[in-house]
Amino acid sequence: MIRNLLLILALACSFSLFGQSIDTLAVRSAIERQLVTYPESTLQDIYKSFYQEHFGPGHIISDTASARRYLMRELSEMSETQSHYYEPTGSQGDYVRVYLSAVADSLITVEQLLDAFVRSANSWQEPTISWLEKWEAIVSIIQANKMEIEGFETDLSLLTEAARNSQAVHHSRRYNEAYHPHYRIVERSIFESELKPTLK
């Protein structure tokens, strides 16, 4: 009983500290979903998912020709396709990972995915909460819920330092070897209206 009260208090504190920007239950559910769907995930892969939700596809893309060449090269190098075509990033789903399998299986075209990706990158707006604050809240939720993630302590210090610099990271080696991820990040409203209808 006391342990449960302490857990509730810990979660409430993280919620009140960061206000409405952090939904602790949604964060916990997102992490649990990732660990079930991708058991080889490390803390680095959780960081990457929430980072992508926070920052979207990345910097403004001015050279769409280069972005297209890179996408075509990645498609040609794919050794296998994913069993699913999309999934939300982080806990809010503001951005969606659209897997290149959708292009390989002719459900959407390269041009559709590239256009959605470029527009998503160029429309990004900075969140009100800093990435470091959000990352520290995510770590607190993991610790309060005693989630078991292999290599957690080793990865934590490196990732917290990365968060201080708003630094992106790659997927972990374990994740890459197990799942061979190939995707592009697309803003949710663009995905819902333009891509999702053909991926059902």
Side-chain angles (χ1 to χ4, degrees):
M1 178 69 176
I2 293 175
R3 180 178 176 277
N4 289 339
L5 287 173
L6 289 173
L7 177 59
I8 291 168
L9 179 61
L11 293 176
C13 286
S14 68
F15 184 86
S16 62
L17 176 61
F18 297 106
Q20 297 295 323
S21 297
I22 299 291
D23 181 337
T24 56
L25 293 178
V27 169
R28 186 181 72 186
S29 294
I31 295 169
E32 289 172 345
R33 182 177 65 245
Q34 168 132 0
L35 294 175
V36 168
T37 307
Y38 304 106
E40 295 302 316
S41 293
T42 68
L43 189 63
Q44 183 171 323
D45 302 298
I46 291 168
Y47 178 105
K48 186 173 182 70
S49 179
F50 283 92
Y51 184 95
Q52 288 172 333
E53 175 183 69
H54 193 83
F55 288 104
H59 299 295
I60 291 174
I61 299 171
S62 56
D63 186 355
T64 55
S66 292
R68 190 181 195 282
R69 284 194 299 272
Y70 187 76
L71 177 57
M72 294 300 294
R73 184 170 74 245
E74 193 170 346
L75 273 165
S76 69
E77 293 172 352
M78 284 174 58
S79 58
E80 57 186 81
T81 59
Q82 299 292 320
S83 60
H84 54 276
Y85 297 119
Y86 62 90
E87 64 190 3
T89 60
S91 59
Q92 297 171 303
D94 292 335
Y95 289 90
V96 178
R97 291 174 176 171
V98 180
Y99 283 85
L100 301 197
S101 301
V103 176
D105 292 345
S106 301
L107 297 178
I108 59 175
T109 66
V110 167
E111 287 71 23
Q112 283 177 298
L113 181 56
L114 180 63
D115 180 63
F117 168 65
V118 169
R119 283 188 288 129
S120 296
N122 293 345
S123 65
W124 178 80
Q125 295 183 347
E126 188 167 356
T128 55
I129 185 173
S130 77
W131 171 237
L132 178 59
E133 288 174 325
K134 187 168 184 177
W135 175 242
E136 289 177 339
I138 292 164
V139 170
S140 295
I141 292 165
I142 292 171
Q143 292 172 326
N145 286 277
K146 300 188 183 302
M147 294 178 167
E148 293 187 9
I149 303 170
E150 188 171 336
F152 177 87
E153 294 299 334
T154 302
D155 291 341
L156 180 58
S157 59
L158 295 174
L159 292 170
T160 300
E161 183 60 29
R164 287 193 182 96
N165 300 307
S166 295
Q167 181 181 340
V169 300
H170 296 292
H171 278 294
S172 67
R173 179 178 295 181
R174 280 179 48 180
Y175 190 100
N176 278 325
E177 290 176 352
Y179 308 116
H180 311 287
H182 297 280
Y183 56 78
R184 291 297 182 272
I185 302 299
V186 176
E187 192 272 329
R188 178 171 56 188
S189 65
I190 296 174
F191 169 77
E192 293 280 351
S193 63
E194 300 177 24
L195 303 182
K196 187 176 180 180
T198 65
L199 300 180
K200 290 183 177 179

